[in-house]
Amino acid sequence: ACRFLVGIGVGGIYPLSAARSSEDDSNDDIGVDAAQARRETACKVGWAFFWQTPGMVAPYVVALILLGIHEAAGGFSVSTQWRLLYAIGAIPAAGVAWLNYTSPES
């Protein structure tokens, strides 16, 4: 149930990341021309969307790595593998929650 709630919360952050990148007002400095500001904003939005794909692929890669360790070592059970995968998946969710909590309002 908690993972479902985290999924809803992080799922709401994904579309907001692009909006926040486009609304960033760091280009309001005097001397920055409008075209350069638009290019920097487009680059930030592009990076916001780019990092979503590695984030979606990472759990599968981690699961394959754990499977390879399991087959090579032959030491831990499948339930331990699932628990490790679940715990490792909580690390990025905690990072997103911390960054969301510590970042200033836009």
Side-chain angles (χ1 to χ4, degrees):
C2 289
R3 192 158 178 117
F4 176 74
L5 293 175
V6 168
I8 290 175
V10 172
I13 289 175
Y14 282 152
L16 293 177
S17 64
R20 183 177 178 135
S21 297
S22 67
E23 291 176 354
D24 186 21
D25 61 356
S26 64
N27 294 326
D28 291 341
D29 299 332
I30 297 174
V32 176
D33 67 359
Q36 179 66 24
R38 283 193 302 272
R39 280 192 296 272
E40 289 178 8
T41 300
C43 186
K44 289 177 187 178
V45 172
W47 274 109
F49 281 115
F50 168 78
W51 285 109
Q52 291 178 12
T53 302
M56 288 185 272
V57 172
Y60 301 105
V61 172
V62 171
L64 288 172
I65 290 169
L66 284 175
L67 182 62
I69 291 171
H70 171 68
E71 290 177 354
F76 55 88
S77 67
V78 175
S79 68
T80 304
Q81 183 181 4
W82 277 108
R83 289 178 184 177
L84 280 171
L85 188 61
Y86 187 77
I88 291 170
I91 294 170
V96 167
W98 180 74
L99 287 172
N100 196 25
Y101 179 73
T102 60
S103 62
E105 288 286 326
S106 62

